[in-house]
Amino acid sequence: MITLNNVSLNLEGKQILNNISLNVCEGKTAIILGPSGAGKSSVLRVILGLWRPQKGTVIIDGEDITNKSENQLLHVRRKMGMVFQGNALFDSLTVAENVCYFLKEKENLTEKEISFRIKESLEFVNLEGTDDLYPAQLSGGMKKRVAIARALAFKPCILLYDEPTTGLDPINAKSIVELINKVKESGTTTIVVTHILQDAIILGDKLTLMNNGKIVETNTVDNLLNSSNNFVQDFFFEINQELKILKHKSVI
Amino acid sequence: METFTKILSGLQNYTLFVKDIIRGMFRCFKYKDDALREMYLIGAKAFLVALGGGLFVGIILAIEVGHQLELFGAKTLIGRTVSLGMIREIGPIITGLLLAARTGAKNTSELGSMQLSEQIDALRAFGTSPVDRLIVPRVVAALIMFLPLTLIADITGILGGMFITITTFHMDVSFYWHSALDALLLKDLFVGFLKPFFFAFFIATISCYYGIYTKGGTTGLGKNTIKAVVSSSVAVLVIDFIFTKVVWEVM
């Protein structure tokens, strides 16, 4: 469904991605993990065609989009939904208008169908009754939910999340993770980019760890925990320590 | 050398940006509601700015010119000077400069904050062209609204001149109007009414360009807003110079 072959990206003379290869099959979930500045969000931007790589190919649903123009990319982008790190909600529009913004623009739906989609999407993210509120009137967690509802309203076959729980309190973060899991169950191909290890472990069986624009290792959580790679060991240090404490307690 | 390369690269990007806008203008009916909203914001809401600007410039012009003409006993020429000055030069320039500040700052700050909060990326990600959706309505609105605003400035400027002629120089109102209208030729009206379209196009495209290419957080947004207002104002003066030169040389 999504394939990146040896993708390299330079922006303003700085190497952002270095020979990245990634393959996500239809209906599967990929978790991209790594510290800030590792190039995780850039991978999503390359997949969306917002940034064009200098080397390598990007294939979405069997179509090579690497060198497509903005107009040629439109129909490919309509297959994808994106939840931005900062939510990217339109401040001047209400929640309902944000959710239906792209529906009105792109789909040939009647007003009744659009209202149904708004209701359906907001119910899915547990935000019934917030239709007339503006983004400024919402909490961080609620904004994130609206961003997810907006991406879902489209009924995309690919959903991309950029740091979905960053900046949220633990309760809201947990509910967003649960929501992402709920969306995954519907068979949507998902890519989640995060630097929060706990979220990554809950959301995916197989994790891709990135650092300095390169993929360090792609493996299951168990294998990563036992990896001999120094960077992987450093990144998983805290979790390993917690696991050791838990094991120690269970022995006692 | 680096600065020169930077300027050239900026001009190249701006040209490509303008090309996209011109292409997008053929699809402008798709977002007519946005264009109407922008017309209200940059046109109707700027009514008082144009009215006040035009009125006071007309008054100042009449006072300054009147005192000089009085020395030669040529007070009857006040109307002629004010009407020609307002219609050909000062009306369009003062409206252009006021709108470069007002509309330029509005466009750059709005689009810049949308760029910084990823809203423009969101538009692209969901398959909508930011140029068609955000820029073209602003440019179309400016092209439509700048002429009426300039007319308001012209008319109020001439009325301001009339007020001064009557109250300060104690002339008959009919003398003023006769002198003011008699001086105006078709080419003066043509030049005076053509300028606002060029001013509108450059103010709107320059300010949108700086807005949509905002980088570097709030500091970058502040810098780009200043650049947009300064560049738009300079563009107004340069275009006006070109028009004036061409008119005196050719027409």
Side-chain angles (χ1 to χ4, degrees):
Chain A
M1 189 86 185
I2 302 170
T3 308
L4 269 67
N5 288 323
N6 306 316
V7 166
S8 292
L9 175 77
N10 281 285
L11 286 177
E12 294 173 352
K14 195 182 166 202
Q15 179 124 42
I16 309 292
L17 297 178
N18 188 357
N19 218 24
I20 296 278
S21 291
L22 186 77
N23 187 38
V24 187
C25 297
E26 192 171 347
K28 298 288 179 192
T29 300
I31 310 293
I32 302 175
L33 190 65
S36 299
K40 310 181 297 289
S41 302
S42 306
V43 172
L44 297 187
R45 284 170 183 271
V46 165
I47 290 170
L48 277 164
L50 296 176
W51 288 346
R52 194 168 293 178
Q54 281 77 27
K55 268 171 65 184
T57 50
V58 182
I59 297 162
I60 307 292
D61 204 13
E63 196 174 341
D64 186 346
I65 65 154
T66 322
N67 292 312
K68 294 225 184 249
S69 68
E70 283 282 312
N71 279 340
Q72 289 170 325
L73 278 170
L74 292 180
H75 79 277
V76 182
R77 284 176 179 160
R78 278 172 213 159
K79 294 177 188 173
M80 298 188 262
M82 168 88 175
V83 178
F84 285 86
Q85 188 173 354
N87 306 316
L89 299 176
F90 302 113
D91 312 326
S92 56
L93 303 180
T94 63
V95 166
E97 286 166 343
N98 263 289
V99 172
C100 73
Y101 186 85
F102 298 104
L103 276 180
K104 276 187 175 171
E105 183 115 328
K106 300 294 166 199
E107 310 245 332
N108 230 350
L109 299 175
T110 62
E111 282 297 321
K112 204 176 168 188
E113 285 169 322
I114 288 173
S115 303
F116 178 74
R117 285 269 192 104
I118 296 169
K119 194 169 173 275
E120 186 186 40
S121 304
L122 288 177
E123 269 177 14
F124 190 85
V125 298
N126 297 325
L127 276 181
E128 303 96 323
T130 57
D131 307 40
D132 298 326
L133 296 178
Y134 283 89
Q137 296 169 290
L138 304 175
S139 68
M142 287 165 92
K143 282 181 191 165
K144 193 64 80 183
R145 284 165 185 275
V146 176
I148 294 173
R150 180 173 70 178
L152 286 175
F154 232 90
K155 298 201 182 297
C157 44
I158 298 166
L159 206 47
L160 311 171
Y161 298 88
D162 190 3
E163 301 277 8
T165 57
T166 301
L168 298 181
D169 62 84
I171 296 166
N172 265 315
K174 187 171 167 264
S175 69
I176 294 295
V177 169
E178 282 167 2
L179 193 57
I180 295 170
N181 267 329
K182 200 167 131 187
V183 178
K184 271 169 57 185
E185 283 163 17
S186 63
T188 313
T189 309
T190 308
I191 299 183
V192 182
V193 153
T194 182
H195 68 273
I196 301 168
L197 200 50
Q198 288 82 348
D199 294 348
I201 291 170
I202 296 168
L203 287 168
D205 301 325
K206 220 171 183 182
L207 313 181
T208 298
L209 193 62
M210 280 185 75
N211 190 31
N212 290 332
K214 289 180 187 169
I215 290 180
V216 179
E217 197 168 335
T218 300
N219 224 323
T220 59
V221 178
D222 285 339
N223 287 341
L224 284 170
L225 283 168
N226 298 312
S227 172
S228 57
N229 184 301
N230 285 341
F231 176 75
V232 179
Q233 280 180 0
D234 282 349
F235 203 83
F236 281 74
F237 176 76
E238 210 175 300
I239 286 281
N240 257 332
Q241 289 298 103
E242 281 175 24
L243 285 174
K244 277 177 193 167
I245 292 165
L246 284 173
K247 271 183 193 169
H248 182 67
K249 277 184 180 169
S250 66
V251 169
I252 292 167
Chain B
M1 188 64 191
E2 200 183 315
T3 318
F4 182 67
T5 318
K6 230 176 173 179
I7 292 170
L8 270 187
S9 141
L11 278 174
Q12 186 191 23
N13 286 341
Y14 174 70
T15 312
L16 293 171
F17 179 67
V18 168
K19 188 191 84 181
D20 286 345
I21 293 171
I22 292 169
R23 274 188 186 168
M25 283 170 103
F26 292 103
R27 303 184 287 270
C28 68
F29 281 103
K30 193 175 173 192
Y31 299 112
K32 59 179 185 305
D33 291 345
D34 295 81
L36 285 171
R37 191 174 58 90
E38 288 300 324
M39 279 166 68
Y40 172 71
L41 291 173
I42 67 174
K45 286 245 174 183
F47 173 78
L48 283 178
V49 175
L51 190 134
L55 180 70
F56 285 104
V57 167
I59 287 174
I60 294 162
L61 185 65
I63 294 171
E64 289 296 339
V65 167
H67 284 297
Q68 296 307 312
L69 291 174
E70 204 174 23
L71 295 174
F72 304 100
K75 280 196 302 185
T76 48
L77 295 178
I78 296 175
R80 180 188 179 90
T81 317
V82 171
S83 71
L84 272 178
M86 286 307 297
I87 299 278
R88 280 172 63 134
E89 298 294 337
I90 302 170
I93 282 195
I94 201 73
T95 317
L97 290 177
L98 289 171
L99 294 180
R102 191 181 182 279
T103 310
K106 173 195 167 295
N107 284 345
T108 309
S109 56
E110 271 180 12
L111 294 171
S113 58
M114 285 184 86
Q115 175 66 43
L116 295 175
S117 59
E118 297 178 310
Q119 291 177 46
I120 288 175
D121 281 341
L123 280 174
R124 290 176 67 206
F126 286 101
T128 300
S129 158
V131 170
D132 288 6
R133 183 74 172 82
L134 300 171
I135 315 293
V136 171
R138 283 172 165 81
V139 176
V140 169
L143 285 170
I144 295 172
M145 295 312 290
F146 272 33
L147 178 61
L149 289 170
T150 307
L151 276 173
I152 289 166
D154 290 347
I155 293 166
T156 52
I158 295 171
L159 288 173
M162 182 192 77
F163 173 72
I164 291 299
T165 310
I166 297 166
T167 55
T168 310
F169 298 104
H170 312 291
M171 273 177 62
D172 192 80
V173 70
S174 60
F175 271 115
Y176 178 82
W177 280 112
H178 187 264
S179 164
L181 298 176
D182 214 28
L184 290 173
L185 300 175
L186 197 62
K187 73 165 185 182
D188 302 317
L189 299 175
F190 175 72
V191 171
F193 297 162
L194 192 61
K195 278 179 188 174
F197 291 104
F198 283 84
F199 292 168
F201 184 77
F202 282 99
I203 290 170
T205 53
I206 289 170
S207 57
C208 289
Y209 171 79
Y210 278 114
I212 212 156
Y213 287 104
T214 297
K215 280 189 283 191
T218 46
T219 315
L221 178 57
K223 280 181 186 168
N224 271 20
T225 308
I226 293 169
K227 279 183 192 170
V229 173
V230 171
S231 308
S232 307
S233 305
V234 171
V236 166
L237 297 172
V238 171
I239 295 164
D240 192 72
F241 159 71
I242 294 167
F243 260 90
T244 309
K245 185 79 179 153
V246 168
V247 167
W248 283 109
E249 299 283 330
V250 180
M251 294 177 84

